[in-house]
Amino acid sequence: MGKTEMGGGPGDGKVLDIKTADLKSAAPTFSEQSGKLRDALLELTDTLDGLGKPWGADDQGKQFGESYEPARTKIEAKAKILIAGLASIHEAMVDMSDGHIENDKLIASMFSKKGAKGGDPGKAGTGK
C-alpha cells in the first residue's frame, strides 16, 4: 500500500510513486513555514509602521510616499497570499494522503479473494 503503478508510460511503467508516510511527514513543513512567513510579515509591518513617514513632507518626500505606499500595500497583500498558499499545501497533502489510503483500500477490496469469485461487478469485494 502507499504506492501506485500504472502501465502504458515509458520506462518501467511507474506513473505515480506516492508514499502516504512521505506526504504526512512533509505536510507540517508547509504549515510551519507559513507561520514563519506570517511572523516575519508581522514584524516587518510593525517595524515599518513604527518608522512613520521618515521621507519627509517636502516635494521629493511626497513623491516618494506616493510611490511607496501602494507598493508596500501590494507587497504585503502578495505575502499574505503566499502565507495562505503554504497553509493550503499542508491541508492538501493531508487530504491527498487520506484519499490515497482510501483509494488503496478500495482497489484492494476489488481484487480480494472474495471479490475475485465473480458475481456482480458493481458489488466488487462483496463476493455476491
XYZ file of all heavy atoms in Angstrom, residues 18 20 23 91-101:
104
model
N 3.594 7.288 -4.895
C 3.142 8.088 -3.764
C 3.270 7.266 -2.493
O 2.727 6.171 -2.397
C 1.674 8.529 -3.953
C 1.547 9.379 -5.209
C 1.182 9.283 -2.726
C 0.124 9.686 -5.598
N 2.313 7.487 1.305
C 1.475 8.275 2.205
C 2.258 8.776 3.410
O 2.011 9.881 3.890
C 0.242 7.471 2.660
O 0.668 6.243 3.250
C -0.667 7.182 1.484
N 3.957 11.954 2.411
C 3.010 13.075 2.359
C 2.704 13.595 3.759
O 2.732 14.797 4.002
C 1.708 12.644 1.676
C 1.755 12.418 0.180
C 0.440 11.809 -0.300
C 2.037 13.708 -0.552
N -2.727 21.387 4.071
C -4.047 20.756 4.103
C -4.246 19.819 2.914
O -4.775 18.717 3.064
C -5.132 21.837 4.114
C -5.125 22.679 5.376
C -5.971 23.946 5.253
O -6.799 24.024 4.323
O -5.786 24.844 6.085
N -3.810 20.239 1.743
C -3.983 19.421 0.540
C -3.173 18.130 0.618
O -3.643 17.071 0.185
C -3.574 20.218 -0.697
N -1.974 18.194 1.163
C -1.146 16.990 1.280
C -1.774 15.990 2.237
O -1.750 14.786 1.987
C 0.271 17.355 1.707
C 1.055 18.043 0.615
S 2.718 18.491 1.117
C 3.564 16.935 0.899
N -2.337 16.466 3.331
C -3.007 15.578 4.277
C -4.230 14.957 3.607
O -4.457 13.742 3.689
C -3.397 16.325 5.572
C -4.296 15.469 6.453
C -2.145 16.742 6.338
N -5.021 15.778 2.915
C -6.203 15.267 2.209
C -5.801 14.251 1.143
O -6.454 13.222 0.972
C -6.984 16.403 1.561
C -7.722 17.275 2.560
O -7.835 16.874 3.744
O -8.178 18.369 2.170
N -4.723 14.552 0.396
C -4.267 13.645 -0.648
C -3.838 12.315 -0.033
O -4.151 11.247 -0.556
C -3.103 14.250 -1.438
C -2.707 13.402 -2.615
S -1.274 13.929 -3.615
C -0.979 15.593 -3.185
N -3.132 12.374 1.057
C -2.694 11.158 1.729
C -3.885 10.328 2.177
O -3.946 9.122 1.942
C -1.822 11.518 2.932
O -1.505 10.362 3.668
N -4.849 10.976 2.809
C -6.046 10.270 3.262
C -6.805 9.674 2.088
O -7.263 8.537 2.144
C -6.962 11.202 4.065
C -6.356 11.625 5.399
O -5.381 10.982 5.851
O -6.861 12.602 5.974
N -6.927 10.429 1.008
C -7.614 9.941 -0.187
C -6.880 8.785 -0.827
O -7.486 7.830 -1.328
N -5.560 8.841 -0.811
C -4.756 7.768 -1.401
C -4.937 6.482 -0.608
O -5.070 5.402 -1.187
C -3.286 8.192 -1.435
C -2.429 7.296 -2.255
N -2.573 7.162 -3.608
C -1.412 6.469 -1.904
C -1.686 6.304 -4.063
N -0.967 5.875 -3.047
N -4.968 6.592 0.705
C -5.180 5.414 1.563
C -6.545 4.810 1.261
O -6.672 3.592 1.095
C -5.058 5.794 3.054
C -3.606 6.117 3.391
C -5.567 4.659 3.947
C -3.408 6.758 4.749
